[in-house]
Amino acid sequence: MAALAEPPTMAPLVGSVIDNIGMGPYQWKEGMVSSCVWLADGAELLLIGSVTRAMELEWDLTATQKGGLVSIVFVGVMLGNMASGPCSDRIGRRWLTIISYAAIGIFSVL
């Protein structure tokens, strides 16, 4: 009679492997850098209220025009977030983080 084959063993789940390895200095550094991009983007979104109030007074904007200006900013954030995942998969997260810092700096000044 032929010997019974052993059942295949299950590969460990990714989550359990990450839990076993833990967080090192590199992961902490990358987390801090990424958090700073998120913080700068959030701060810019918070400033929109002040900027639109100043533009309303300076340019005599209606409520609809103010809403349009704010909507354009949020559409830009949405498109940027949708594009960042595929771009980071293609060119890497390091360059995308550098580009994000540069774009936030440049477009905040404009």
Side-chain angles (χ1 to χ4, degrees):
M1 197 170 336
L4 295 174
E6 291 185 30
T9 59
M10 297 288 293
L13 298 175
V14 173
S16 64
V17 171
I18 292 173
D19 287 340
N20 290 336
I21 293 173
M23 296 269 293
Y26 178 79
Q27 285 80 19
W28 285 107
K29 182 186 87 167
E30 287 300 313
M32 291 302 293
V33 168
S34 299
S35 296
C36 288
V37 170
W38 180 69
L39 180 70
D41 197 28
E44 187 175 358
L45 292 176
L46 286 173
L47 288 173
I48 290 173
S50 300
V51 170
T52 54
R53 171 97 22 146
M55 290 174 68
E56 174 190 22
L57 298 174
E58 185 73 25
W59 293 350
D60 195 32
L61 298 176
T62 65
T64 304
Q65 291 169 326
K66 271 186 6 180
L69 286 172
V70 173
S71 295
I72 288 170
V73 171
F74 282 107
V75 167
V77 169
M78 179 190 70
L79 294 174
N81 286 334
M82 288 172 53
S84 66
C87 286
S88 65
D89 289 341
R90 287 192 183 107
I91 65 172
R93 283 166 177 72
R94 179 176 187 260
W95 283 108
L96 200 64
T97 302
I98 292 169
I99 291 168
S100 295
Y101 273 127
I104 287 171
I106 290 168
F107 291 113
S108 292
V109 171
L110 296 178

